[in-house]
Amino acid sequence: MSEFPIYRPRRMRANENLRRLVRETRLSVDDLIYPMFVVHGENTATNISSMPGCYQYSVDRLVEAARELASLKIPGTILFGIPENKDEFGTEAYSDDGIIQQAVRAIKDAVPELLVITDVCLCEYTDHGHCGIVEKGEVLNDPTLDLLVKESLSHVRAGADMIAPSDMMDGRIGVIRDALDDEGYDAIPIMAYSAKYASAFYGPFREAAESAPQFGDRRTYQMDPPNSEEALREVALDIDEGADIVMVKPALSYLDVIHQVKLEFQMPVAAYNVSGEYAMIKAAAQKGWIDEERVAVEVLTSIKRAGADIILTYFAKSVAEWLDN
């Protein structure tokens, strides 16, 4: 490559049109999935204090929000349910009349073109707040798989377009894939939370989903944050078991992992721009310390630049409006 003064990189930064012509990474509404929370009741949209602009919706209000997503051309939503009653086995997670099942049917009836993805996990539904069956203080892997299969089938029967297991139990993608295929749902894709870290960035989500563990933490099944080679092994396992999309969560502190996963596997890669990442930007913007739009778009662009094809983000609606303008 030529050196200065022959090569002057600033030539291609002189104005916005030049910058547009040579821009290497382009963030688009096509990249985005908007997470939403649904509760029992009617005409309810309860503000989530730690996540300004996000709400716990009753099903009727959730349908209104889904129509807004479609109008903004956001491809899809991922749903998280807050049950009416919790128990040790998370029974409502796989009830035909559970909150997620009701929500899926309502959205697909009203906004059939919107892609509806469901989070498959038990933590919102169990009285202990863990992602599986607990016995003597230990989260049991293999018995939990049966319940995750029941939950997955229940969501798909209700009309879910895709399921997203987030529990981090070993082997769950394989048993879910087999069960879906056996029931004739071989066309339903799985977006696996493949490298989900035991992160401190989940705090606001646990308020939103009312899913904080009642004892201990989730470090025996979610990944240890210092590890990246292990993430590649986790992703490889999920691909071998039938995952169609693999996810890294959180996104911003794990850009290196997103990049490694994309380079290693050339699979569709999702990244979850999680609640804590969202809340930090919102809080700093409310203080007037940062420009919310510029910082949010910069963060999401960095996630895409790292290699993510799909970004789950609470900024999706705002970004759709910002990019449209």
Side-chain angles (χ1 to χ4, degrees):
M1 180 180 289
S2 300
E3 297 180 358
F4 177 83
I6 297 171
Y7 177 53
R8 292 177 179 265
R10 285 185 58 188
R11 290 184 190 126
M12 301 308 297
R13 303 175 196 154
N15 59 62
E16 178 59 18
N17 282 334
L18 281 172
R19 292 191 293 272
R20 286 173 61 203
L21 285 171
V22 298
R23 192 157 287 153
E24 298 171 20
T25 304
R26 298 181 186 275
L27 183 67
S28 164
V29 69
D30 297 340
D31 306 322
L32 308 178
I33 293 171
Y34 185 63
M36 294 198 293
F37 303 92
V38 57
V39 297
H40 289 276
E42 294 181 3
N43 195 30
T44 297
T46 303
N47 182 60
I48 300 164
S49 62
S50 58
M51 299 171 64
C54 296
Y55 301 87
Q56 292 178 333
Y57 294 106
S58 56
V59 172
D60 53 338
R61 298 292 296 274
L62 185 78
V63 169
E64 294 176 11
R67 288 195 174 102
E68 181 186 13
L69 298 186
S71 72
L72 291 169
K73 297 183 170 54
I74 293 170
T77 181
I78 184 167
L79 300 180
F80 299 89
I82 296 93
E84 200 160 35
N85 298 295
K86 303 188 180 196
D87 60 39
E88 62 180 317
F89 299 111
T91 304
E92 192 177 315
Y94 39 89
S95 166
D96 288 341
D97 199 38
I99 189 61
I100 285 293
Q101 292 78 356
Q102 293 181 42
V104 170
R105 287 192 289 265
I107 292 176
K108 295 309 294 184
D109 183 57
V111 198
E113 69 275 20
L114 186 70
L115 185 71
V116 176
I117 306 163
T118 58
D119 177 77
V120 172
C121 194
L122 298 175
C123 61
E124 297 109 300
Y125 305 93
T126 55
D127 52 14
H128 47 70
H130 279 284
C131 302
I133 295 173
V134 172
E135 188 175 295
K136 297 179 181 178
E138 179 184 354
V139 179
L140 303 181
N141 193 96
D142 293 10
T144 298
L145 300 182
D146 293 335
L147 300 187
L148 297 173
V149 165
K150 291 175 68 175
E151 183 178 8
S152 299
L153 289 172
S154 178
H155 291 182
V156 172
R157 288 170 184 148
D161 298 297
M162 182 188 299
I163 58 167
S166 65
D167 54 283
M168 287 301 285
M169 297 297 117
D170 294 340
R172 87 272 201 217
I173 301 303
V175 296
I176 291 171
R177 181 74 272 164
D178 287 346
L180 291 175
D181 292 354
D182 289 345
E183 292 287 329
Y185 297 115
D186 53 291
I188 296 293
I190 297 175
M191 178 167 65
Y193 287 64
S194 298
K196 180 179 180 180
Y197 285 85
S199 172
F201 282 97
Y202 301 149
F205 175 93
R206 289 176 181 169
E207 175 198 347
E210 301 179 13
S211 63
Q214 298 304 300
F215 66 89
D217 54 41
R218 295 177 177 147
R219 285 184 284 185
T220 64
Y221 44 103
Q222 294 177 356
M223 281 191 56
D224 196 17
N227 293 1
S228 60
E229 292 178 2
E230 183 186 11
L232 299 181
R233 295 195 294 272
E234 284 275 18
V235 170
L237 283 169
D238 284 355
I239 292 171
D240 287 345
E241 290 178 18
D244 301 282
I245 301 168
V246 293
M247 188 196 298
V248 177
K249 180 185 180 183
L252 193 54
S253 292
Y254 299 88
L255 297 176
D256 60 319
V257 178
I258 296 169
H259 189 63
Q260 289 180 70
V261 168
K262 188 62 180 178
L263 288 179
E264 180 75 17
F265 298 104
Q266 290 87 49
M267 285 281 291
V269 176
Y272 203 138
N273 175 221
V274 299
S275 60
E277 298 166 357
Y278 173 85
M280 289 191 300
I281 293 174
K282 296 294 284 192
Q286 287 179 353
K287 288 285 190 179
W289 294 338
I290 61 173
D291 181 319
E292 178 181 337
E293 178 179 341
R294 289 189 62 191
V295 171
V297 170
E298 184 175 339
V299 163
L300 297 179
T301 300
S302 76
I303 295 167
K304 185 168 184 186
R305 188 181 65 239
D309 304 287
I310 300 162
I311 304 173
L312 292 75
T313 178
Y314 304 98
F315 283 113
K317 291 195 295 182
S318 297
V319 168
E321 294 171 347
W322 294 333
L323 296 180
D324 191 48
N325 294 326

